[in-house]
Amino acid sequence: MSIQVAVNGYGTIGKRVADAVTLQPDMELIGVAKTRPNHEAELAVENGYPLYAAIEDRIELFEEAGIDLAGTVDAMVEAADVVVDACPSGIGAENKSLYEAHDTPALYQGGEDADLVDVSFNARGNFEAATGADHVRVVSCNTTGLSRLLAPLQEEYGVEKARITLIRRGGDPAQSGRGPINDILPNPIGLPSHHGPDVNTIFPDLDIDTLGLKVPATLMHTHSVNVTLESRPDTDDVRELLDDQTRTFLVPEGSGIDGAGALKEFAMDRDRPRADIWENCIWAESVSTEGSDLYLFQAIHQESDVVPENVDAIRAVLGTADAEESVERTNETMGVGF
């Protein structure tokens, strides 16, 4: 029997997760839920996804817009083996009682508080920890990217200290109300940013400091990374280690890819859906070592890097595959890996 998956919230993350679920041979998308009729609701119907009203009082709005509904979110959650909550930050916490009422395991996104769930999840970092959990949080785009990077470094060399400066996009392309418009903001001004403590939900014993800056861009986040390792590896060995990971892409020297804009163009030229980049993009030329200190730059596509993680979290929660099997299946079906 295929895993019956529901997606509550069909926006930036939800529509991508829904598409990814339909590609999985062991999953079936039984429906998606929206709070209001809009072009994304129309897209769900066009894609053949059963559409449910997330707010019962708004059913009439869908009817007036000529958008067919399959029912209410309660019916969708009741029929599901697992629900992916892809609602805006804070709404997942409000939905928790709904999932508990139907005894349906739920996955939440990184905007929710870690205290809301049984475990925070990253496929590369702690896949097995989610097995059998009722409430699992797939960590944020930045935390996902950092976890993918730090896990192999920790395993291969040991990490004494990680120091990360995150240059964060002001908003996603469709978020016209976000900013700054013409400024560079320490965000937050106080240290650390929330990303370091968030990484510690995956690696509790890791010593990590993070700082954040917010800039007027919509394309991708960029990380300036300095990791003090417990050994002194050769630079080429580190590059090879990172190149061997399935969800990291080492941008080749001489490729002409000098920033996030060129990375998005690279993805579009390779017919990636929505120009999504599911992988950490690490500039190979930036990977360098000075004694036990490792330095590099990486870019993280905030709209999409958590999507394969959500797919893996579904299997982890239900115990239908181990980490290696799930990641390989997800990568193959989605086309992860340039």
Side-chain angles (χ1 to χ4, degrees):
M1 293 289 292
S2 296
I3 301 169
Q4 306 293 287
V5 181
V7 177
N8 190 7
Y10 192 72
T12 299
I13 300 299
K15 62 189 177 185
R16 288 170 163 85
V17 171
D19 290 349
V21 166
T22 64
L23 299 174
Q24 307 309 308
D26 55 341
M27 299 181 191
E28 180 182 352
L29 180 70
I30 65 166
V32 301
K34 286 285 291 180
T35 59
R36 65 185 186 277
N38 62 7
H39 72 95
E40 289 171 329
E42 292 174 346
L43 174 66
V45 174
E46 290 172 10
N47 285 338
Y49 302 160
L51 179 65
Y52 292 81
I55 301 174
E56 190 170 355
D57 292 345
R58 296 184 182 175
I59 289 177
E60 191 174 300
L61 297 179
F62 287 89
E63 293 174 347
E64 292 173 354
I67 298 176
D68 294 331
L69 290 173
T72 64
V73 68
D74 287 81
M76 182 184 76
V77 172
E78 183 178 11
D81 294 323
V82 62
V83 58
V84 177
D85 187 296
C87 297
S89 299
I91 304 301
E94 297 177 10
N95 292 335
K96 185 177 182 179
S97 60
L98 167 65
Y99 308 140
E100 290 179 332
H102 294 286
D103 198 26
T104 303
L107 310 181
Y108 306 84
Q109 305 309 304
E112 302 300 331
D113 196 310
D115 293 337
L116 178 72
V117 299
D118 304 318
V119 63
S120 294
F121 176 88
N122 172 259
R124 184 63 180 81
N126 66 343
F127 185 99
E128 291 77 11
T131 303
D134 292 322
H135 301 280
V136 172
R137 170 176 167 265
V138 178
V139 292
S140 72
C141 51
N142 281 311
T143 307
T144 292
L146 291 174
S147 298
R148 289 175 181 167
L149 173 67
L150 292 167
L153 295 176
Q154 176 80 301
E155 292 167 3
E156 189 72 16
Y157 307 116
V159 172
E160 181 178 315
K161 177 81 173 182
R163 305 169 187 85
I164 319 294
T165 300
L166 301 97
I167 298 88
R168 302 168 57 206
R169 60 91 179 102
D172 292 339
Q175 293 175 320
S176 57
R178 298 283 289 268
I181 296 174
N182 180 30
D183 209 343
I184 300 170
L185 305 178
N187 185 256
I189 295 177
L191 304 180
S193 70
H194 73 271
H195 307 92
D198 207 25
V199 169
N200 286 140
T201 66
I202 305 296
F203 306 103
D205 299 325
L206 186 73
D207 190 0
I208 179 170
D209 289 337
T210 55
L211 302 86
L213 297 166
K214 199 173 180 182
V215 299
T218 64
L219 294 172
M220 300 174 74
H221 301 298
T222 302
H223 299 170
S224 174
V225 177
N226 167 219
V227 181
T228 301
L229 303 170
E230 293 177 355
S231 58
R232 298 190 170 201
D234 180 78
T235 298
D236 288 339
D237 290 340
V238 177
R239 287 176 182 155
E240 184 176 352
L241 173 69
L242 297 177
D243 197 31
D244 285 343
Q245 305 304 304
T246 63
R247 291 180 182 169
T248 57
F249 166 54
L250 257 66
V251 181
E253 185 176 354
S255 63
I257 300 174
D258 57 359
L263 280 169
K264 292 291 285 181
E265 187 79 5
F266 180 82
M268 285 188 286
D269 286 345
R270 279 146 185 81
D271 295 325
R272 282 290 182 89
R274 301 185 178 91
D276 284 346
I277 303 176
W278 305 297
E279 306 85 352
N280 292 30
C281 298
I282 302 170
W283 278 273
E285 190 177 1
S286 76
V287 178
S288 57
T289 55
E290 295 288 340
S292 59
D293 277 321
L294 167 67
Y295 301 89
L296 59 84
F297 290 117
Q298 67 173 4
I300 303 296
H301 185 214
Q302 71 282 355
E303 297 173 279
S304 68
D305 79 321
V306 301
V307 174
E309 305 295 325
N310 274 271
V311 174
D312 291 329
I314 292 170
R315 297 191 184 100
V317 165
L318 299 179
T320 60
D322 62 23
E324 183 177 359
E325 180 184 1
S326 180
V327 168
E328 182 178 354
R329 188 181 307 167
T330 301
N331 289 352
E332 181 178 357
T333 54
M334 290 184 62
V336 176
F338 284 117

